[in-house]
């Protein structure tokens, strides 16, 4: 069996190959130390790279759900506020109507009551056309259009109110297979079982006309119905807010779990990385020393 001849060229090639290997290992461990990640290229660990991509995709999906909640939360909060303000206005209107219906007020006093009711009507009209983030919250899907328009008399007072939105619902994805309605339409809130605007208009006009009988027999009943109508709307929004908050917490927890999983997949162990860096530096230095000894002889050395 012949023994292969070990030439100077072969020895040099082997030394240089070993230097390249040690250099690549050293560069790789330096990258890990600089980035804090064990995986910086697909070739580092193809299986873990695939796992990290899948995990990042999950995180991005649930982050979008979290962003959706952040986007709808102001609308839900403002919807609650506007319904609360309208409820307070109707409660005050109920007190004023009771005063006007007792039959003991002078016509001048009834006119004062009518003027306050008229201001309440204007406030409710503003609430119903509330704008949040450039969108009218009670207009259904016609969010660029004010929910209600008013007909006014020569004195500028509201005599009729019409709904200009639609009855369509707005749904948004908050989790896998979970789409929730996030809007209350104005026709349902303000003109459902009773037309709140028309009731306030009638109360104002009947106070001016001194019609205590209608105030007592009709308008107080309408106000009670309107308050119940608003209470139901408030309950719907409140239940939705609770559901949204619960889903938000679940989504944030799921994101955190996947971020921890991603860290386990790609993050480098700092202590282990430092140890490996020292090992590879020593190996690289040893390879350099070996190369210096192997590559040192030259033609002149042989001549001497």
């Amino acid at each position: 069996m012949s023994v292969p001849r070990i030439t100077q060229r072969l020895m040099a090639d082997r030394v240089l190959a070993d230097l390249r290997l040690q250099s690549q290992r050293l560069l790789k461990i330096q990258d890990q130390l600089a980035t804090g990640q064990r995986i910086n290229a697909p070739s580092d660990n193809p299986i873990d790279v695939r796992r990290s991509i899948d995990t990042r995709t999950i995180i991005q999906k649930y982050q979008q759900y979290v962003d959706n909640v952040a986007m709808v939360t102001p609308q839900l909060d403002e919807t609650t506020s506007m319904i609360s303000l309208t409820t307070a206005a109707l409660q005050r209107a109920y007190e004023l109507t009771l005063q006007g219906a007792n039959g003991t007020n002078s016509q001048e006093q009834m006119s004062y009551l009518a003027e306050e009711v008229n201001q309440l009507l204007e406030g409710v009209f503003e609430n119903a056309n509330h704008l949040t983030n450039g969108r009218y919250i009670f207009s259904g899907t016609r969010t660029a259009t004010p929910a209600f328009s008013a007909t006014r008399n020569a004195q500028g007072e509201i005599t009729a109110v019409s709904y200009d939105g639609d009855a369509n619902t707005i749904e948004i994805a908050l989790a896998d297979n979970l789409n929730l309605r996030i809007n209350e339409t104005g026709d349902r809130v303000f003109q459902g079982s009773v037309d709140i605007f028309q009731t306030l208009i009638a109360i104002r006009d009947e106070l001016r006309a001194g019609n205590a009988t209608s105030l007592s027999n009709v308008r107080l009943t309408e106000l009670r119905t309107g308050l119940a109508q608003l209470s139901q709307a408030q309950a719907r929004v409140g239940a939705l807010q609770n559901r949204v908050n619960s889903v938000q917490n679940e989504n944030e927890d799921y994101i955190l779990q996947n971020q921890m999983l991603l860290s386990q997949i790609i993050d480098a162990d700092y202590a282990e990385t430092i140890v490996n860096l020292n090992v590879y530096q020593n190996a690289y230095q040893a390879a350099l020393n070996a190369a210096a000894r192997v590559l040192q002889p030259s033609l002149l050395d042989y001549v001497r």
Side-chain angles (χ1 to χ4, degrees), residues 125 149-153 156-162 201 204:
F125 182 73
S149 59
T151 301
R152 297 179 181 271
N153 58 21
E157 296 179 340
I158 297 175
T159 57
V161 174
S162 60
I201 291 170
R204 178 197 65 194

Side-chain angles (χ1 to χ4, degrees), residues 102-145:
N102 63 24
T104 62
N105 298 286
S106 66
Q107 188 53 53
E108 183 180 11
Q109 291 172 322
M110 297 283 273
S111 296
Y112 290 148
L113 297 176
E115 181 58 33
E116 186 172 349
V117 171
N118 188 60
Q119 294 304 315
L120 293 174
L121 171 61
E122 292 287 352
V124 170
F125 182 73
E126 290 181 7
N127 296 341
N129 280 331
H130 186 72
L131 195 67
T132 298
N133 293 332
R135 298 181 178 182
Y136 292 95
I137 62 176
F138 293 111
S139 292
T141 56
R142 301 182 64 185
T143 55
T145 302

Side-chain angles (χ1 to χ4, degrees), residues 116-297:
E116 186 172 349
V117 171
N118 188 60
Q119 294 304 315
L120 293 174
L121 171 61
E122 292 287 352
V124 170
F125 182 73
E126 290 181 7
N127 296 341
N129 280 331
H130 186 72
L131 195 67
T132 298
N133 293 332
R135 298 181 178 182
Y136 292 95
I137 62 176
F138 293 111
S139 292
T141 56
R142 301 182 64 185
T143 55
T145 302
F148 295 93
S149 59
T151 301
R152 297 179 181 271
N153 58 21
Q155 290 72 41
E157 296 179 340
I158 297 175
T159 57
V161 174
S162 60
Y163 182 57
D164 297 329
D166 57 38
N168 297 330
T169 61
I170 299 175
E171 293 187 351
I172 194 164
L174 300 182
D176 289 347
N177 303 316
L178 178 61
N179 294 337
L180 293 181
R181 170 181 177 170
I182 62 165
N183 69 315
E184 285 286 328
T185 57
D187 58 342
R188 190 182 189 192
V189 175
F190 298 91
Q191 295 177 325
S193 300
V194 64
D195 188 328
I196 292 174
F197 300 110
Q198 193 56 47
T199 294
L200 293 174
I201 291 170
I203 292 171
R204 178 197 65 194
D205 294 344
E206 289 172 2
L207 284 169
R208 288 172 176 169
N211 191 347
T213 301
S214 180
L215 291 171
S216 178
N217 296 336
V218 179
R219 305 311 169 194
L220 287 175
T221 300
E222 289 180 351
L223 285 172
R224 286 191 291 268
T225 302
L227 286 168
Q229 179 176 297
L230 291 172
S231 179
Q232 292 169 2
Q234 190 79 291
R236 290 193 298 269
V237 178
L240 178 59
Q241 286 178 305
N242 291 336
R243 181 73 174 114
V244 167
N245 290 336
S246 176
V247 172
Q248 181 79 325
N249 291 334
E250 293 173 1
N251 288 340
E252 289 176 346
D253 287 344
Y254 198 60
I255 289 174
L256 180 59
Q257 292 172 10
N258 279 276
Q259 286 175 336
M260 293 172 62
L261 175 60
L262 182 62
S263 177
Q264 294 173 2
I265 295 172
I266 68 172
D267 286 355
D269 183 297
Y270 186 75
E272 180 182 352
T273 304
I274 290 294
V275 171
N276 289 337
L277 177 64
N278 291 330
V279 170
Y280 292 150
Q281 283 178 332
N282 291 336
Y284 183 67
Q285 189 62 48
L288 284 176
N289 293 336
R293 288 193 296 270
V294 170
L295 301 179
Q296 184 177 14

Side-chain angles (χ1 to χ4, degrees), residues 87-108:
T87 298
L90 253 65
Q91 289 170 340
R92 178 56 180 164
Y94 191 88
E95 296 172 0
L96 297 173
T97 304
L98 274 177
Q99 294 180 39
N102 63 24
T104 62
N105 298 286
S106 66
Q107 188 53 53
E108 183 180 11

